[in-house]
Amino acid sequence: MTLTVCVGASGSGKTTFLNDVHKSHKCTYIRQYHNLRPYIKVSAIPAFDPTQLPYWDIYIKEKKDKSILVGGTIAGQFMAGLSGGQRKLLLFELIFQRTSSQDNLLIVLDEPFAGVTDDFVPFIVDRLNEMRKKHNILLVTNDHVETLKTMADNTVIVSAIDRTKVTINEKKGVDRDTALLAMSIGDDYTQNSNNQDFKFFLDVELSKNGGLFGVAGFAVFSFGLFLMTFWNSNGGSEPLVLIAA
């Protein structure tokens, strides 16, 4: 199996390259903006062992390992928890653990280490080496570029000047469509859901921070106001009420 690193200047089409790989082949695609809900407790994530995170000992010593939240911003509201770099490593480790039981996957990662400091580079290298024993990995990065290029089997350089061609391992002028076909090798991840996953979904979505109750309440309130506009109205308006419902 192989590790391929895609690099290039800002605006050169690195993410577009990953999007096209995703369109042409089923794969596990983690986009740059993917994240977990900020109000989720890290320890509550099912089928995940947070003690494997390189920074988890800090929270154990501080006795926060059972209460620390993912953290971040949702709907303009900031929630304290993990730092941005720690959240990136959390998501990366979650992918590592979830895919470890399967083989021959194509895993596509867009900026998986943005904001991750040099302290954690050995952890990243170790995990990637373990993953590429069983899976094909394609990742875009602007962080720790030299380290990742050195360990990669292939390096793809995309250009903002000519997007029909790419450079692969210093071989210039490679047709982009041919490169896409070459990179699109591997299976899609399959998740077998269970009661634990369902319970986690309910706990997250039906919590006071999940927002579903608020949305439902607002919908009922808004529809109530709409119904009031038909107070003492003439007959024949019933279809409008049914359509609005």
Side-chain angles (χ1 to χ4, degrees):
M1 313 307 284
T2 61
L3 168 63
T4 301
V5 174
C6 181
V7 297
S10 297
S12 59
K14 299 187 296 295
T15 297
T16 302
F17 188 83
L18 297 192
N19 289 339
D20 290 342
V21 168
H22 181 240
K23 290 176 184 176
S24 64
H25 192 80
K26 291 182 179 179
C27 62
T28 302
Y29 185 18
I30 307 300
R31 303 175 190 270
Q32 185 176 356
Y33 54 77
H34 277 166
N35 209 335
L36 303 174
R37 301 290 179 89
Y39 51 82
I40 295 175
K41 290 182 180 179
V42 177
S43 60
I45 300 173
F48 177 67
D49 180 10
T51 63
Q52 299 302 309
L53 291 166
Y55 53 78
W56 199 247
D57 285 347
I58 297 174
Y59 295 111
I60 293 177
K61 291 177 181 178
E62 295 178 353
K63 297 183 179 180
K64 295 180 179 179
D65 54 308
K66 302 298 183 183
S67 60
I68 188 70
L69 304 180
V70 171
T73 303
I74 184 171
Q77 180 181 358
F78 175 77
M79 295 185 178
L82 301 180
S83 68
Q86 288 178 330
R87 288 195 295 273
K88 282 289 187 179
L89 283 179
L90 166 63
L91 189 58
F92 177 61
E93 177 64 16
L94 180 62
I95 296 164
F96 172 81
Q97 293 187 22
R98 291 290 178 89
T99 59
S100 62
S101 61
Q102 300 184 31
D103 296 312
N104 303 317
L105 302 181
L106 174 58
I107 302 175
V108 180
L109 307 172
D110 189 4
E111 295 284 1
F113 310 122
V116 177
T117 60
D118 294 342
D119 309 49
F120 300 115
V121 168
F123 173 81
I124 292 170
V125 170
D126 179 68
R127 283 294 190 254
L128 287 175
N129 281 329
E130 284 295 317
M131 291 174 72
R132 70 174 171 184
K133 291 178 182 178
K134 304 174 68 174
H135 311 302
N136 285 320
I137 305 167
L138 172 61
L139 66 86
V140 157
T141 186
N142 283 323
D143 300 85
H144 317 297
V145 173
E146 292 306 317
T147 299
L148 293 173
K149 285 172 62 177
T150 299
M151 69 177 297
D153 300 292
N154 302 295
T155 300
V156 178
I157 302 175
V158 294
S159 171
I161 299 175
D162 184 2
R163 292 197 175 188
T164 65
K165 306 291 182 182
V166 297
T167 300
I168 301 180
N169 299 335
E170 299 184 358
K171 183 179 180 180
K172 299 181 179 180
V174 178
D175 181 70
R176 185 177 184 275
D177 291 336
T178 302
L180 286 172
L181 290 174
M183 302 299 166
S184 302
I185 300 175
D187 299 327
D188 191 15
Y189 173 78
T190 56
Q191 167 69 17
N192 297 318
S193 299
N194 51 40
N195 291 334
Q196 186 181 16
D197 292 327
F198 183 64
K199 181 180 182 302
F200 177 71
F201 171 80
L202 293 179
D203 290 343
V204 170
E205 298 300 335
L206 299 183
S207 70
K208 63 179 182 180
N209 294 314
L212 285 184
F213 288 121
V215 171
F218 179 77
V220 171
F221 175 74
S222 299
F223 188 64
L225 292 178
F226 175 76
L227 288 178
M228 291 179 64
T229 64
F230 290 90
W231 190 265
N232 290 330
S233 60
N234 296 326
S237 300
E238 294 84 357
L240 292 176
V241 177
L242 291 175
I243 292 172

